[in-house]
């Protein structure tokens, strides 16, 4: 159950006209009163002798009783209270009790003999009500509604439990501001999937990913097609910024601008500056030198490698360092979603969108040590769009596989800290990554699977022996998996390249947990191909037919002896 308190307004009659009107897209069905401050307020929805004006005058009476100079300019308090999708439909009597509890909890009408405001609760849909109140008590004083939003949320958690509704995870004040009902209705009218506020937040977040300067950040905003205004101090220094969509206009036809801090707490200019100021100085005091853009596949292999290392920090590092790596993981997700091929882009975008909530908490990130992840995000963006096939496609699967474990580690970290909303968001992101991985890994793993099935029996037995030596506790599980032949092919390639398969396996399986993997063999394939320096995509590579030999008849040593121009 979500109470959503809107900024105070100045026209009671205007709000009532909306609540009792037809709504947008026939949203309002049978508008009627379910509760009021005295239980006797007129109901223009079901009483033909009542009018909106009569209800407005009744609610506004304490305001009008004050001298004009003492009346608050914004005197209309308004909140909606909405149940979650899938919840049962509450009766009018249940909604009436919800309304009474919300106005009491927020200080609008505390009850128990204390002065209260006049209010009315209107229902015009199965899943929510609106409560309108006027912010002057019966005795002419102002209500104690300080932090009414937090108080309403706390009461909603109790109501959910008592009525058997979906339990919303408690927040910690670090979530991005929710779109208002007006913004949602506007998005519906314009045919937008998301509100302007949400579109802007996603675009700005992607512009931040891996950026190292104001010039680069604002250049990315302009390239994304946003309107940008900056706030400059008298000294000439930049104080802040705000952004707008070209086609999001107000009634006067002017663009609707949102300051960065209103999009999300970590998108204010000072918070963004914290990221790149820490990037410029390395731990030993040296300036980080800009690198030439990497190819998409190279950038993805790099992202996989640093994600692998970041898991250890999140699992065992100090809280501030873990928080920084979790925040930077969000940048890598944004960059990967921005640059991936169409068949994985949608799920990666959803993963990045979900993880945005998990990237912030009350634990302040210690920036600088997350530099490798931010550089990986930067390399992904500068490397440009990746193809959905070949080394680009296979290295995308490799990166997603490693990021899945990093995001899962973030979910566990948040759960240990009691960050319920963030833990849930990270779990949602992990599920989207699973779906993206399936789309990305299907073809390259199928190629490896066929190569593994063509291995000679003696060579296959050598890989089985290496598996049992390295991970005896996992061997039988891996051998029973569909992905075993892909892993066997990878082990054979690594052996032909001069590696010890058992040592590689022990290292890959021993450093991180595998309990959350759908397929242990798939995970080990990508870890081995990365650590052994094998191409992510095996298409076109010679098949290993016996130890050290390929289908071309040459051993790895033979190939290494060839002059460079023939390799």
């Amino acid at each position: 159950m979500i109470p959503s308190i809107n900024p105070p307004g100045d026209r009671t009659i205007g709000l009532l006209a909306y609540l009792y009107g037809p709504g947008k897209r026939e949203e309002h069905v049978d508008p009627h009163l379910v509760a009021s401050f005295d239980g006797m307020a007129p109901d223009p929805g079901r009483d033909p002798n009542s009018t909106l004006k009569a209800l407005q005058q009744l609610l506004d009476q304490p305001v009008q009783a004050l001298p004009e100079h003492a009346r608050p300019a914004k005197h209309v308090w308004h909140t909606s209270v909405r149940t979650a999708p899938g919840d049962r439909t509450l009766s009018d009597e249940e909604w009436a009790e919800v309304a009474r509890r919300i106005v009491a909890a927020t200080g609008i009408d505390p009850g128990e003999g204390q002065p209260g405001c006049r209010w009315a609760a209107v229902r015009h849909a199965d899943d929510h009500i609106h409560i309108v109140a006027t912010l002057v008590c019966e005795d002419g004083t102002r209500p104690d509604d300080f932090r009414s939003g937090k108080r309403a949320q706390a009461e909603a958690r109790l109501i959910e439990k008592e009525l058997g509704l979906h339990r919303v995870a408690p927040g910690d004040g670090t979530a991005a501001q929710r779109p208002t009902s007006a913004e949602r209705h506007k998005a519906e009218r314009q045919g937008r999937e998301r509100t302007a506020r949400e579109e802007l937040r996603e675009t700005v977040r992607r512009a931040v990913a891996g950026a190292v300067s104001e010039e680069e950040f604002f250049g990315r905003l302009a390239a994304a097609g946003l309107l940008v205004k900056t706030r400059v101090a008298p000294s000439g220094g930049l104080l802040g910024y705000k952004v707008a969509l070209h086609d999001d206009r107000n009634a006067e036809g002017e663009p609707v601008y949102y300051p960065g801090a209103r999009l999300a707490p970590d998108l204010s200019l000072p918070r963004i500056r914290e990221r790149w100021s820490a990037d410029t100085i390395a731990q030993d005091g040296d300036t980080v030198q800009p690198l030439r853009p990497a190819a998409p596949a190279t950038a993805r292999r790099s992202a996989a490698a640093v994600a692998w290392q970041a898991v250890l920090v999140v699992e065992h590092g100090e809280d501030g360092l873990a928080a920084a790596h979790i925040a930077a993981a969000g940048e890598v997700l944004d960059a990967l979603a921005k640059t991936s091929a169409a068949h994985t882009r949608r799920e990666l975008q959803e993963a990045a969108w979900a993880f945005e909530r998990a990237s912030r908490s009350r634990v302040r990130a210690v920036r600088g040590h997350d530099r490798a992840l931010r550089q990986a995000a930067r390399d992904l963006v500068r490397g440009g769009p990746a193809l959905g096939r070949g080394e680009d496609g296979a290295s995308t699967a490799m990166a997603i596989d490693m990021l899945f474990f990093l995001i899962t580690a973030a979910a566990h970290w948040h759960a240990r800290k009691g960050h319920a909303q963030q833990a849930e968001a990270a779990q949602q992101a992990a599920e989207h990554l699973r779906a993206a991985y399936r789309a990305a890994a299907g073809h390259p793993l199928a190629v490896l699977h066929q190569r593994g099935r063509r291995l000679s029996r003696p060579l296959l037995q050598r890989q089985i022996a290496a598996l049992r030596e390295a991970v005896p506790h996992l061997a039988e599980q891996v051998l029973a998996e569909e992905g075993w032949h892909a892993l066997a092919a990878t082990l054979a390639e690594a052996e032909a390249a001069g590696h010890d398969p058992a040592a590689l396996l022990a290292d890959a399986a021993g450093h991180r947990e595998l309990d959350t993997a759908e397929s242990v063999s798939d995970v080990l394939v990508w870890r081995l191909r990365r650590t052994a320096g094998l191409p992510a995509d095996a298409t076109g590579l010679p098949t290993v037919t016996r130890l050290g030999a390929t289908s071309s008849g040459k051993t790895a040593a033979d190939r290494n002896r060839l002059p460079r121009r023939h390799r």
Side-chain angles (χ1 to χ4, degrees):
M1 177 172 287
I2 301 295
S4 181
I5 297 178
N6 294 289
D10 57 4
R11 293 186 68 246
T12 309
I13 189 66
L15 178 55
L16 291 175
Y18 165 73
L19 297 180
Y20 277 96
K24 312 300 178 184
R25 297 190 176 183
E26 302 301 323
E27 180 190 10
H28 298 180
V29 178
D30 185 25
H32 61 280
L33 212 67
V34 294
S36 65
F37 69 100
D38 62 356
M40 297 184 291
D43 181 7
R46 290 188 172 175
D47 182 355
N49 297 317
S50 298
T51 63
L52 293 178
K53 187 67 175 177
L55 180 56
Q56 173 259 316
Q57 289 176 338
L58 179 67
L59 295 176
D60 278 347
Q61 194 172 55
V63 180
Q64 297 299 318
L66 293 176
E68 189 169 349
H69 70 275
R71 298 171 189 168
K74 301 284 187 179
H75 71 278
V76 184
W77 185 87
H78 171 219
T79 185
S80 62
V81 187
R82 187 179 300 269
T83 54
D87 276 341
R88 65 182 178 85
T89 300
L90 302 185
S91 66
D92 280 357
E93 291 73 20
E94 287 174 314
W95 274 123
E97 181 60 21
V98 168
R100 284 189 283 267
R101 291 181 62 170
I102 292 294
V103 294
T106 54
I108 294 299
D109 189 6
E112 299 182 355
Q114 301 179 64
C117 301
R118 296 188 176 188
W119 58 272
V122 179
R123 181 180 188 178
H124 53 214
D126 284 343
D127 64 348
H128 71 278
I129 59 170
H130 292 261
I131 307 173
V132 54
T134 48
L135 293 172
V136 175
C137 297
E138 296 286 2
D139 62 357
T141 61
R142 292 294 304 273
D144 178 16
D145 62 338
F146 178 66
R147 303 186 77 177
S148 60
K150 278 187 167 295
R151 291 152 69 178
Q153 293 292 345
E155 188 65 22
R157 303 295 80 79
L158 299 175
I159 295 171
E160 290 162 356
K161 183 177 181 179
E162 294 173 19
L163 295 183
L165 304 176
H166 172 74
R167 306 281 292 278
V168 176
D172 60 1
T174 61
Q177 183 176 330
R178 292 178 178 274
T180 65
S181 57
E183 290 171 347
R184 289 195 300 270
H185 293 148
K186 186 177 183 181
E188 290 176 5
R189 291 196 305 272
Q190 295 175 340
R192 297 182 187 275
E193 185 176 346
R194 289 177 174 150
T195 65
R197 181 192 298 275
E198 292 169 319
E199 286 188 28
L200 289 168
R201 184 166 77 242
E202 185 172 29
T203 304
V204 172
R205 205 179 63 235
R206 289 184 183 177
V208 171
V212 296
S213 67
E214 291 177 4
E215 181 181 6
E216 182 177 11
F217 171 57
F218 287 113
R220 289 184 182 181
L221 293 180
L226 299 189
L227 299 174
V228 182
K229 283 186 177 181
T230 55
R231 186 161 55 91
V232 181
S235 61
L238 190 60
L239 296 176
Y241 74 99
K242 55 185 179 180
V243 290
L245 299 174
H246 274 276
D247 57 350
D248 182 37
R249 305 273 170 164
N250 59 21
E252 289 72 39
E254 300 169 336
V256 180
Y257 282 91
Y258 294 82
R262 293 294 182 90
L263 299 177
D266 56 346
L267 294 182
S268 68
L269 188 57
R271 293 294 297 275
I272 291 173
R273 281 172 171 159
E274 289 177 9
R275 309 187 196 197
W276 58 58
S277 62
D279 287 341
T280 57
I281 305 298
Q283 292 181 22
D284 59 2
D286 295 333
T287 301
V288 176
Q289 298 297 324
L291 302 176
R292 296 163 66 181
T298 304
R300 277 153 174 72
R301 292 185 73 104
S302 175
V306 297
W308 173 255
Q309 297 301 320
V311 172
L312 184 62
V313 178
V314 174
E315 288 179 340
H316 305 293
E318 297 178 0
D319 285 350
L321 299 182
H325 280 73
I326 290 171
E331 295 190 45
V332 177
L333 278 177
D334 283 325
L336 190 63
K338 181 178 180 178
T339 58
S340 287
H343 69 302
T344 57
R345 188 180 308 135
R346 176 69 179 185
E347 290 294 346
L348 288 172
Q349 287 175 341
E350 292 297 328
W353 178 261
F355 193 73
E356 184 265 346
R357 179 65 190 98
S359 65
R360 293 184 304 274
S361 70
R362 284 292 183 186
V363 178
R364 188 64 179 265
V366 179
R367 291 291 187 175
H369 299 274
D370 59 338
R371 192 167 33 254
L373 278 171
R374 296 205 72 245
Q375 183 63 52
R378 179 173 175 79
D379 288 345
L380 286 167
V381 172
R382 296 184 71 190
L387 300 175
R389 60 185 184 276
E391 189 70 8
D392 281 7
S395 59
T396 296
M398 178 185 291
I400 295 172
D401 178 74
M402 299 298 179
L403 281 167
F404 171 83
F405 285 95
L406 176 55
I407 299 313
T408 301
H412 293 166
W413 183 84
H414 280 305
R416 290 196 303 271
K417 298 298 174 186
H419 305 159
Q421 287 187 354
Q422 290 90 334
E424 182 179 342
Q427 290 288 8
Q428 291 174 358
E431 290 307 309
H432 286 296
L433 285 175
R434 281 189 194 274
Y437 170 78
R438 295 187 193 106
H443 178 70
L445 285 178
V447 172
L448 285 170
H449 179 82
Q450 292 302 318
R451 291 167 65 87
R453 293 187 66 86
R454 291 197 295 267
L455 292 178
S456 67
R457 185 171 182 79
L459 186 52
L460 184 61
Q461 289 300 321
R462 287 183 64 87
Q463 309 319 321
I464 293 174
L467 175 70
R468 287 179 168 147
E469 175 189 345
V471 285
H473 60 295
L474 289 174
E476 297 309 315
Q477 175 185 344
V478 171
L479 289 171
E481 289 182 348
E482 185 179 351
W484 156 242
H485 285 95
L487 177 57
T490 297
L491 288 169
E493 286 182 50
E495 189 174 16
H499 295 283
D500 180 347
L504 280 176
L505 266 175
D507 180 70
H511 286 185
R512 306 289 186 271
E513 58 89 14
L514 293 167
D515 294 341
T516 53
E518 283 189 320
S519 169
V520 173
S521 51
D522 282 11
V523 174
L524 294 175
V525 163
W526 300 119
R527 292 184 184 180
L528 290 176
R529 301 194 78 81
R530 182 184 61 79
T531 56
L534 302 174
D537 178 37
T539 305
L541 292 178
T543 303
V544 178
T545 55
R546 57 186 174 83
L547 180 59
T550 68
S551 57
S552 67
K554 296 185 175 66
T555 66
D558 293 333
R559 292 196 306 278
N560 290 336
R561 285 195 294 269
L562 289 173
R564 182 174 296 276
R565 65 179 177 275
H566 295 306
R567 291 184 191 173

